[in-house]
Amino acid sequence: MSIRHFLSMMDYTPDELKGLVRRGMELKDLRRRGELVQPLKGRILGMIFEKASTRTRVSFEAGMIQLGGQAIFLSPRDTQLGRGEPIGDSARVLSSMLDAVMIRTFAHQTLLDFAAHSRVPVINGLSDDLHPCQLLADMQTFAEHRGSIAGKTAAWIGDGNNMCNSYIEAAIQFGFHLNVACPPGYEPDERLMARAGDCVRVTHDPRDAVAGAHLVTTDVWASMGQEKEASERLALFKPYQVNRALLDAAASDVIFMHCLPAHRGEEISEDLLDDSRSVAWDQAENRLHAQKALLEMLVAPTHTA
Ligand code: CP
Ligand code: NVA
């Protein structure tokens, strides 16, 4: 049987994704009740970070430990990856010693190349194109606060970036409608848009995008790797700030999410994370629970003799 990876939301069926969300909720409840779930004793996750991270690193590392296993942090600065060892060679070697590998990288192709040479599951911890782990947490957060997202409307405001692309994949897989409001020239991936068909609509007007929306979400205007464009983007994206007035124009039961880190005063107003409609802290915590469900599914459990 071929190895299953998690490089994109499209790697699993809608039922599998819904099952992961349900399991994430169960694991959260079990942790609250102090019950140990440790199927991954002796298992090791390697975590390659070519970009900075707080949530992804800590949630994967804590998640593996809670499941009974361990995680190893690998930075290209301290490994031969940073000195040009081919990705395929690294994949062969690392996957002979580890039980799964999580990678946060720039080019999505790096993940594909690693996965092609890996004998263990590879997880996308964010690439320039996609951030599927965040979407597992976001879908869990919506389910906890509002129930099923199927048939609902979400609005993405800002850059058509990796997070926006993963929202498009989630809209396809979970059956919700997505309105994207971005400045001209900053639209999401064209192929994904074509695949999404009627699920996704792009506008350049944030108020149009949020009309009737049950979920409003945004992200930084300059992603990691785009630091040089930051000041140009700041001016261009100004009309796309999410603030209380914009949320007032959405559905009366709207909730607001941000994958974090947030830049207050830029993509969100200073006060937005304190608004009662924001569920961003729950969303951040759910990275832990949702990814534990993912690890439980992907990493072979320990066999006791
Ligand atoms: N949302 C998210 O992925 O956060 P980190 O960059 O801190 O991992
Ligand atoms: N779009 C952001 C997400 C960070 C979690 C970035 O890629 O930097």
Side-chain angles (χ1 to χ4, degrees), residues 29-289:
D29 187 47
L30 287 164
R31 183 166 152 71
R32 292 257 153 97
R33 290 195 271 122
E35 287 191 33
L36 290 181
V37 180
Q38 304 206 306
L40 302 187
K41 275 201 180 107
R43 301 293 186 226
I44 305 173
L45 172 74
M47 308 188 299
I48 300 172
F49 280 95
E50 293 184 348
K51 291 174 175 171
S53 167
T54 297
R55 280 144 288 267
T56 305
R57 178 177 175 179
V58 176
S59 54
F60 269 111
E61 194 161 335
M64 268 313 277
I65 295 168
Q66 287 170 16
L67 290 169
Q70 291 186 53
I72 300 179
F73 174 77
L74 297 159
S75 150
R77 215 179 43 194
D78 318 312
T79 59
Q80 300 292 2
L81 273 165
R83 296 180 64 250
E85 182 166 9
I87 201 81
D89 294 1
S90 303
R92 280 193 186 93
V93 174
L94 291 174
S95 68
S96 71
M97 303 176 187
L98 300 165
D99 299 291
V101 179
M102 186 244 82
I103 307 179
R104 169 167 285 197
T105 189
F106 291 87
H108 193 75
Q109 190 61 41
T110 303
L111 276 159
L112 300 176
D113 291 345
F114 196 102
H117 295 94
S118 173
R119 31 164 141 148
V120 298
V122 177
I123 298 169
N124 179 358
L126 180 147
S127 69
D128 286 347
D129 294 359
L130 296 169
H131 195 6
C133 289
Q134 182 67 55
L135 262 292
L136 289 180
D138 290 21
M139 294 298 98
Q140 179 175 333
T141 309
F142 192 91
E144 284 171 357
H145 284 270
R146 295 287 184 266
S148 172
I149 197 166
K152 301 264 167 117
T153 298
W156 174 270
I157 311 297
D159 190 16
N161 63 11
N162 44 9
M163 273 297 299
C164 181
N165 289 336
S166 282
Y167 257 96
I168 294 175
E169 293 192 337
I172 299 170
Q173 297 287 62
F174 285 83
F176 62 90
H177 189 83
L178 181 69
N179 294 331
V180 176
C182 60
Y186 292 86
E187 289 83 6
D189 185 276
E190 262 176 37
R191 280 163 308 169
L192 268 180
M193 296 270 295
R195 193 165 176 185
D198 291 344
C199 271
V200 180
R201 180 171 69 87
V202 174
T203 167
H204 301 305
D205 176 2
R207 289 188 81 85
D208 172 26
V210 302
H214 307 96
L215 165 62
V216 172
T217 184
T218 187
D219 185 15
V220 291
W221 290 338
S223 285
M224 290 180 278
Q226 297 173 331
E227 288 76 8
K228 285 199 181 119
E229 299 170 36
S231 59
E232 181 195 335
R233 282 169 171 260
L234 199 64
L236 208 64
F237 280 81
K238 238 184 173 61
Y240 295 84
Q241 184 186 79
V242 181
N243 49 38
R244 284 180 164 154
L246 191 66
L247 288 191
D248 290 344
S252 57
D253 61 347
V254 70
I255 51 175
F256 171 74
M257 292 194 206
H258 191 310
C259 65
L260 305 177
H263 292 186
R264 291 173 174 83
E266 295 184 14
E267 78 275 2
I268 55 165
S269 54
E270 296 285 347
D271 55 3
L272 203 67
L273 294 179
D274 303 318
D275 190 281
S276 60
R277 293 166 289 188
S278 170
V279 294
W281 308 123
D282 290 345
Q283 181 191 2
E285 179 188 330
N286 283 340
R287 291 294 302 278
L288 172 71
H289 311 297

Side-chain angles (χ1 to χ4, degrees), residues 4-13 16 122 169 173:
R4 296 201 77 183
H5 303 293
F6 185 60
L7 307 183
S8 134
M9 296 294 275
M10 307 314 280
D11 289 344
Y12 295 154
T13 65
E16 285 174 325
V122 177
E169 293 192 337
Q173 297 287 62

